[in-house]
Amino acid sequence: MISGEYDVVVVGAGNAGMCAALAAQENGARVLVLEAAPFDERGGNSRYTAGALRFVYNGVNDLLKLCDLSETEIATSDFGTYTQDKYYDDLGRLTDYKSNPDMAEQLITLSQETLLWMRSKGIRFAPMYSRQAFKHEGKFVFWGGLALEAWGGGPGLVEGLFKSAEDRGIEVAYEARGEHLIHDDDGVHGVVATVEGKTTQIRAKAVVLACGGFEANAEMRTRYLGPGWDLAKVRGTRFNTGNGIKMALEIGAMSYGNWSGCHAVGWDYNAPEFGDLAVGDNFQKHSYPFAIMVNADGVRFCDEGADFRNYTYAKYGREILSQPHQFAWQIFDQQVVHLQRDEYRIRQITKVTADTIEGLADKMAEYAPVDKAAFLKTVSEYNAAVQRDIPYNPTVKDGRTTKGLAIDKTNWALPLEKPPYEAFCTTCGVTFTFGGVRIDTDGRVLDTAQKPIAGLYAAGELVGGLFYHNYPGGTGLVSGSVFGKIAGTSAGKQVGRNT
Ligand SMILES: Cc1cc2nc3c(=O)[nH]c(=O)nc-3n(C[C@H](O)[C@H](O)[C@H](O)COP(=O)(O)OP(=O)(O)OC[C@H]3O[C@@H](n4cnc5c(N)ncnc54)[C@H](O)[C@@H]3O)c2cc1C
């Protein structure tokens, strides 16, 4: 029940919004969160995740501050480190050094302490053995900068956040869609929302927008990402339709970031239009570094082994979308099936197997046909090009390459020669969009003159400036937490009850 005066209204109850709400409450504010989804679908994209978290840690002792590890786990695991320098390198390299330097610095330098703060709010973390470590010479070796996940994955994370909010008296209204900001020359004074179908004015001293990007809006995707993006499947919630961005732009906020860019991955060809909470992120197919990918023309179109999955998966959805008929098959043989992630073993999967590559092509034709002659030629040329004398090691970029192909596979190249062969059909699944509004280092939304709009803050997917072209896996949740906490803290302090 929405009643009385609120200090801070947060629009959107995903990870960024709930972190903002907790931070605002901690600073003395009475907080209301508006969530467009019904109760059963609450939690936004955050709930669909595996909860992978990219943050700075300088060894196992930093991990022990965040989660419990048994002596056996410590003895049998090589967690490595993920230093600030490495994070800067990864973010810079992947975004073509376009990431806003202030935002990058806040994300990286505050990543660990923000997770510690979340822990203090009851959120639990666990090592991510299943997806981010391979057993090598008797040890679980972590690779790619992602050592921890939220306990219980995305569903565990959002349950923890809602529980923490409830315990602290933060109110959440469901089926409550923010439509417009209440705004005059003095700034923002609340939100006009549709609450269970009724237009409602909710006044507040500050508003935090945290209601996602425009990935679930086919019209906006096509308008900003470009032709063909209407054909992508949406990996997560159907509620992130760009409303928060529109609300802010309507009152003069500055648009910012990579509006034509997004995070998009290889996603099961027959997945539904939007995400399915029962399946979560398992429609993704992220073991392609150990496979080859071919399109309808029967040819490879990218270097599957260019880097660890964490650094290529978010841009390969776009590659798949631009292939004829927007699909790609991933082909594995028995040498690597043990490296396939858990998502390859779900029931809702577009998969065929056969004892020969020829037989595989015939079975693939039942779902999404490829040019068979070209496909057979691709496989035999690929097999012949593999440099077999280079040792194979999935825990490092092993440099085991092909040589002489139009597009070489530059790591983890094994010939396809051990049947039965497995093929998985993928299309493009869009995760979230990179363009949005501009904030300053206090999480305040800036206008087109780059001045803060009084009373308006933002965090999460709807903020532009951090990601361009690509994205290091596990950064979305941590950035939502870091900037959510900053925005909520600023909004809470503006209200001034604790000062
Ligand atoms: C399948 C999948 C797997 C992923 N895996 C990972 C991972 O392992 N690690 C990682 O770091 N990132 C991952 N991501 C990315 C991550 O989900 C996002 O970066 C992050 O959750 C964004 O948080 P957010 O709070 O900004 O948005 P969301 O969590 O999407 O929250 C936005 C909320 O706003 C609500 N909303 C929208 N419009 C309105 C409105 N007008 N009024 C009120 N409410 C509104 C929505 O219903 C939603 O609840 C994944 C994403 C998907 C889809």
Side-chain angles (χ1 to χ4, degrees), residues 131-468:
R131 288 184 171 181
Q132 293 292 322
F134 291 122
K135 202 157 192 189
H136 187 65
E137 293 174 355
K139 271 204 161 181
F140 291 99
V141 181
F142 283 75
W143 48 273
L146 294 179
L148 297 191
E149 62 190 358
W151 191 85
L157 171 67
V158 302
E159 276 316 304
L161 288 166
F162 281 110
K163 164 94 176 50
S164 190
E166 238 166 63
D167 291 349
R168 289 164 174 79
I170 294 168
E171 295 165 56
V172 184
Y174 297 98
E175 296 181 60
R177 191 174 64 236
E179 306 283 9
H180 303 284
L181 293 163
I182 303 170
H183 173 254
D184 63 18
D185 291 347
D186 295 326
V188 167
H189 308 288
V191 177
V192 179
T194 306
V195 183
E196 293 178 353
K198 291 216 163 40
T199 303
T200 312
Q201 300 234 354
I202 304 158
R203 295 195 74 86
K205 298 186 183 94
V207 172
V208 181
L209 294 173
C211 47
F214 57 84
E215 62 274 3
N217 181 330
E219 187 268 345
M220 283 182 85
R221 281 205 309 272
T222 313
R223 183 190 294 247
Y224 297 113
L225 304 181
W229 281 97
D230 43 342
L231 305 175
K233 298 195 190 242
V234 177
R235 296 179 68 206
T237 177
R238 61 197 166 98
F239 292 97
N240 287 356
T241 53
N243 258 28
I245 297 174
K246 284 190 209 159
M247 285 159 73
L249 296 185
E250 227 169 52
I251 65 154
M254 184 177 182
S255 62
Y256 192 52
N258 188 195
W259 275 71
S260 59
C262 68
H263 180 305
V265 308
W267 192 244
D268 190 89
Y269 186 62
N270 287 306
E273 184 185 3
F274 298 104
D276 176 344
L277 281 168
V279 178
D281 68 356
N282 283 317
F283 288 122
Q284 69 201 7
K285 294 291 163 276
H286 286 176
S287 297
Y288 58 84
F290 310 117
I292 64 164
M293 289 198 273
V294 296
N295 65 13
D297 295 335
V299 297
R300 291 175 53 247
F301 53 90
C302 66
D303 175 2
E304 303 87 346
D307 206 331
F308 287 119
R309 161 268 174 204
N310 294 352
Y311 303 117
T312 57
Y313 78 113
K315 65 176 183 178
Y316 280 177
R318 180 181 284 267
E319 293 289 331
I320 295 169
L321 191 79
S322 63
Q323 302 309 309
H325 310 295
Q326 297 82 45
F327 70 78
W329 283 94
Q330 300 178 0
I331 320 291
F332 296 83
D333 79 354
Q334 292 302 309
Q335 296 175 89
V336 288
V337 288
H338 67 286
L339 296 175
Q340 284 171 353
R341 293 156 56 106
D342 45 4
E343 70 232 19
Y344 285 77
R345 290 180 287 280
I346 64 168
R347 270 192 313 115
Q348 306 87 333
I349 203 157
T350 311
K351 172 186 179 183
V352 296
T353 56
D355 287 333
T356 61
I357 296 290
E358 210 167 19
L360 197 69
D362 292 337
K363 288 195 175 168
M364 286 154 64
E366 290 169 22
Y367 294 96
V370 301
D371 179 323
K372 188 172 169 183
F375 174 48
L376 296 178
K377 186 164 173 271
T378 296
V379 173
S380 77
E381 287 178 355
Y382 166 80
N383 282 354
V386 172
Q387 301 300 290
R388 294 172 187 249
D389 49 334
I390 303 171
Y392 179 79
N393 180 356
T395 66
V396 293
K397 284 170 73 177
D398 63 2
R400 186 174 159 119
T401 183
T402 60
K403 267 216 176 117
L405 298 178
I407 304 171
D408 277 313
K409 183 174 176 188
T410 54
N411 289 289
W412 311 299
L414 284 177
L416 288 159
E417 58 188 14
K418 198 163 177 214
Y421 302 102
E422 298 186 352
F424 298 83
C425 195
T426 60
T427 186
C428 171
V430 61
T431 318
F432 67 94
T433 45
F434 291 163
V437 298
R438 185 165 192 161
I439 55 170
D440 68 7
T441 50
D442 292 321
R444 299 181 294 183
V445 175
L446 301 181
D447 67 13
T448 50
Q450 296 198 40
K451 294 215 169 79
I453 299 173
L456 187 62
Y457 303 84
E461 282 178 4
L462 59 65
V463 172
L466 199 54
F467 307 122
Y468 291 80

